[in-house]
Amino acid sequence: MGKRILIVMGIFASLLSVAVAIPGIATFYTNYVPANDSVWNNGAACGKVFQVTCKGPRNPVPHPCTGKTVTVKVVDHCPGCPSTLDLSKEAFTQIANPVAGIINIDYIQ
């Protein structure tokens, strides 16, 4: 009985972690990571760490994703930015081909 409860709890925890991934858009520009207005949330995201995964292209570059996830820390605000996160080139390159320039992402805090 106890093992069944643990298995059910494990399955629930796995589903919950998948369910909290938020879709967004990533670009790269600087050596640090700024966030758009909605993520920045009046400074609440400053210093927060996010796991970012490439989910696909937003332009004609085929198959830009590497299949990896990168962990980044938000350190700045990008007012009016159309992308969700403006990654460092180093972070972007870990999850996607930089030739793509812009990608669809999932991110989790």
Side-chain angles (χ1 to χ4, degrees):
M1 180 70 172
K3 288 182 181 180
R4 286 186 192 172
I5 291 173
L6 286 176
I7 291 171
V8 169
M9 287 176 61
I11 292 170
F12 178 74
S14 295
L15 292 174
L16 183 60
S17 67
V18 171
V20 295
I22 302 168
I25 301 168
T27 55
F28 69 90
Y29 178 67
T30 61
N31 292 326
Y32 54 90
V33 180
N36 73 358
D37 296 327
S38 63
V39 174
W40 183 250
N41 191 18
N42 293 317
C46 188
K48 302 289 185 195
V49 175
F50 294 86
Q51 292 179 0
V52 184
T53 306
C54 176
K55 300 310 283 182
R58 288 194 63 84
N59 59 28
V61 174
H63 313 294
C65 301
T66 65
K68 297 178 182 176
T69 297
V70 66
T71 301
V72 298
K73 182 189 284 188
V74 171
V75 297
D76 199 5
H77 181 208
C78 186
C81 280
S83 61
T84 309
L85 294 171
D86 194 7
L87 302 174
S88 67
K89 185 173 183 180
E90 179 183 1
F92 190 96
T93 301
Q94 288 184 38
I95 62 171
N97 180 345
V99 171
I102 185 168
I103 54 172
N104 292 314
I105 59 168
D106 277 348
Y107 64 98
I108 302 171
Q109 182 178 345

